[in-house]
Amino acid sequence: MQFGFWGINYKNAPLAIRDKTSFTEEKKAAFFQRAEEIGVEQCMVLSTCNRSEVYYIYEKEEQHRQIQKIYKEMFPEVELTSYLVGLFGEEAIAYLFRIAAGLESLVLGEDQILGQVKEALDDARTMGYSGKELNKIVRDAITCAKKIKTEWRISEKPLSVSFVGIRKLEEVCGIAGKRILVIGSGKTAVLALKYIYEYAVKDVIVCSRTYGHAKQLREEFPKIRLVSYEERYQVMKECDIVVSATRSPHLVVRQEEFCPMQKVVFLDLAAPRDIDITFAKEKLVTLINLDTLQEIVKENQRERERLVEESKTLLVQGVKETKEWVFQSRMDDTIESLQQRCSIIVEDSFAYLNRKIELGVREQKLLRKVLNASLQRLLREPIQEIKRSGTEKEQEEIRRVIQRLFQI
């Protein structure tokens, strides 16, 4: 029995290829069925925007190659030979552990992938393609990932500029009870709004060059107040914080157009800049822009990388324990056969002695217990030796000897 993996991800395949190799529900079902046809009865599909990967348990070397062939045939319109990567054994186990912990993610240490691994295993189990071995390996990877996230808190070092920017606002002036103007209605502005609403803000006003687009934000943020783009300077006079996140090639807040009469904090999330940098010289103005934020993001990235290195001990230990379990589990059927043989001998011996000797209920229980303990003692050392066997070749030799000696 061996654990294997084939797949593509953002590291080895461009987006154009990944878009064409996504596993729909229909393709998952088709893959499971074809894998079963070649004798691979335990498999899992992990399909996200950044990866399309299959994990499985196989018995014969040729099955590992056949899974690669099936994968390619699932996407006949794409030439995958130069993109598809495969692993097996300990390397495949270690890779899955890193995946679950977010250490192979585009955003290092992100949390979302752990839920996606859980969901992939649930799908495999629901469709009847997850057995003892696959469950054990994936569950061990999930458990190890949770330990790493709990002990090292890698994901708590934010890498989103929007998140870092709003956190910086909270640090500089506090957000609760403030009136905030958000200029823009694109993805960055939406993210900023989400983070702003995590605080008890007094009022949030939004303006955008495209008023119709800004109106759509009310579906997600019903409490926002909309104003026209032309009114932005007038509205700023009553705001404590101004967040700008447009795609404009020009400045949208110019110093000659706005003279602050009270303290105001500008957060510029745009590139190129939205807010005139000369505001930084104003006594009543605090200006935060991408120059400051990107340095924080870089520092957080370096800190994440440091924490990843420190967490590798947990990862290595987890992989080692799972690998040992997988190795020993190859002999489970042999050990089970020995136990069954032992039970048959106990019952045969008990039945013979019970016919020859008149025993009460208490004596019968005691006799069966003694017979079973005696045979288990005899088997203890052979079973320990089976578990200590160092290579697959040794396991196979021991298996043959036991089958011949015990006629199983």
Side-chain angles (χ1 to χ4, degrees):
M1 183 200 74
Q2 191 67 277
F3 182 65
F5 148 82
W6 283 103
I8 66 167
N9 58 57
Y10 73 95
K11 290 183 177 179
N12 53 47
L15 182 59
I17 297 296
R18 301 200 305 275
D19 282 346
K20 296 176 183 178
T21 52
S22 177
F23 277 89
T24 62
E25 294 304 314
E26 291 76 15
K27 282 191 180 291
K28 283 182 187 178
F31 174 80
F32 287 144
Q33 184 177 353
R34 292 198 60 188
E36 187 175 25
E37 288 171 0
I38 64 167
V40 176
E41 298 180 348
Q42 298 186 59
C43 47
M44 177 182 87
V45 176
L46 179 61
S47 186
T48 73
C49 58
N50 283 324
R51 64 186 72 254
S52 290
E53 301 173 340
V54 296
Y55 302 84
Y56 48 92
I57 302 293
Y58 65 98
E59 298 289 342
K60 302 174 183 176
E61 182 63 32
E62 64 186 81
Q63 290 172 325
H64 182 55
R65 294 189 294 273
Q66 286 173 319
I67 289 291
Q68 180 192 30
K69 183 173 182 289
I70 291 171
Y71 189 113
K72 289 181 178 180
E73 291 172 354
M74 296 298 296
F75 308 100
E77 70 281 6
V78 189
E79 175 50 57
L80 291 174
T81 302
S82 59
Y83 302 112
L84 206 53
V85 174
L87 299 168
F88 63 90
E90 184 177 357
E91 287 187 344
I93 293 172
Y95 179 72
L96 178 59
F97 271 63
R98 294 197 303 273
I99 286 286
L103 307 187
E104 290 287 337
S105 295
L106 182 60
V107 178
L108 185 65
E110 55 101 0
D111 292 327
Q112 187 179 9
I113 188 65
L114 182 57
Q116 291 166 335
V117 171
K118 291 178 184 176
E119 186 178 343
L121 181 61
D122 287 342
D123 286 347
R125 188 187 300 111
T126 300
M127 298 184 74
Y129 290 94
S130 179
K132 180 181 75 172
E133 290 80 12
L134 185 62
N135 273 330
K136 170 68 175 173
I137 294 170
V138 180
R139 285 294 174 194
D140 281 359
I142 291 171
T143 299
C144 184
K146 287 180 177 178
K147 285 182 181 178
I148 288 174
K149 291 178 184 300
T150 299
E151 293 187 23
W152 299 98
R153 303 183 183 279
I154 296 169
S155 61
E156 291 186 10
K157 297 294 180 182
L159 300 180
S160 159
V161 171
S162 295
F163 185 89
V164 170
I166 301 305
R167 180 177 283 187
K168 188 67 176 176
L169 279 178
E170 172 64 13
E171 178 187 320
V172 169
C173 64
I175 296 175
K178 297 295 197 299
R179 180 175 280 113
I180 302 175
L181 171 64
V182 176
I183 305 174
S185 56
K187 290 181 179 179
T188 304
V190 170
L191 274 177
L193 283 167
K194 285 180 180 178
Y195 298 134
I196 285 169
Y197 272 109
E198 291 181 3
Y199 302 88
V201 290
K202 181 179 181 180
D203 190 17
V204 177
I205 306 160
V206 174
C207 73
S208 172
R209 287 181 183 275
T210 311
Y211 190 80
H213 191 215
K215 283 177 68 176
Q216 295 175 11
L217 296 178
R218 277 205 170 129
E219 296 176 9
E220 188 172 357
F221 309 103
K223 294 182 179 181
I224 62 174
R225 178 156 59 97
L226 297 178
V227 299
S228 68
Y229 181 74
E230 290 72 23
E231 295 179 82
R232 64 191 185 282
Y233 288 117
Q234 185 62 34
V235 173
M236 282 181 208
K237 295 177 182 178
E238 58 185 85
C239 290
D240 308 292
I241 297 170
V242 176
V243 178
S244 193
T246 77
R247 294 181 180 177
S248 171
H250 311 293
L251 294 175
V252 299
V253 181
R254 299 178 180 275
Q255 188 182 34
E256 61 267 25
E257 300 289 341
F258 178 67
C259 180
M261 304 301 293
Q262 62 180 15
K263 287 185 178 181
V264 61
V265 179
F266 285 125
L267 173 60
D268 189 348
L269 296 175
R273 294 186 180 100
D274 273 350
I275 299 174
D276 197 332
I277 195 170
T278 56
F279 273 114
K281 299 176 182 178
E282 295 275 354
K283 289 183 179 180
L284 293 175
V285 174
T286 300
L287 175 61
I288 304 167
N289 57 28
L290 289 181
D291 291 340
T292 302
L293 300 180
Q294 286 176 344
E295 186 54 45
I296 296 172
V297 169
K298 287 178 183 178
E299 179 57 36
N300 286 354
Q301 175 69 18
R302 288 191 289 269
E303 181 65 7
R304 281 195 180 200
E305 290 170 356
R306 184 186 68 78
L307 292 174
V308 164
E309 285 300 314
E310 292 186 6
S311 71
K312 282 184 178 178
T313 302
L314 266 180
L315 194 73
V316 170
Q317 182 61 30
V319 171
K320 179 183 177 184
E321 291 173 0
T322 301
K323 181 192 73 171
E324 289 174 354
W325 181 90
V326 170
F327 185 77
Q328 293 176 5
S329 69
R330 294 192 185 105
M331 298 296 283
D332 282 353
D333 56 344
T334 301
I335 293 171
E336 186 178 347
S337 296
L338 278 175
Q339 300 286 10
Q340 290 174 352
R341 182 68 171 155
C342 173
S343 298
I344 292 170
I345 293 170
V346 167
E347 290 305 314
D348 287 347
S349 300
F350 172 78
Y352 175 79
L353 291 171
N354 198 32
R355 288 196 303 270
K356 296 295 184 180
I357 306 171
E358 191 173 330
L359 299 171
V361 175
R362 182 176 179 277
E363 286 80 10
Q364 288 178 357
K365 289 182 179 179
L366 181 61
L367 176 59
R368 183 181 270 113
K369 185 175 181 179
V370 170
L371 287 171
N372 186 64
S374 298
L375 282 178
Q376 289 292 343
R377 183 179 176 187
L378 177 66
L379 291 178
R380 188 177 298 125
E381 289 185 1
I383 289 175
Q384 288 175 347
E385 186 61 31
I386 288 172
K387 292 182 175 181
R388 281 196 298 265
S389 53
T391 64
E392 288 186 53
K393 184 177 180 181
E394 287 179 11
Q395 284 183 336
E396 191 55 38
E397 289 175 354
I398 291 171
R399 192 197 306 272
R400 286 197 297 268
V401 170
I402 288 174
Q403 288 172 344
R404 186 168 66 250
L405 291 177
F406 291 90
Q407 297 181 357
I408 57 175

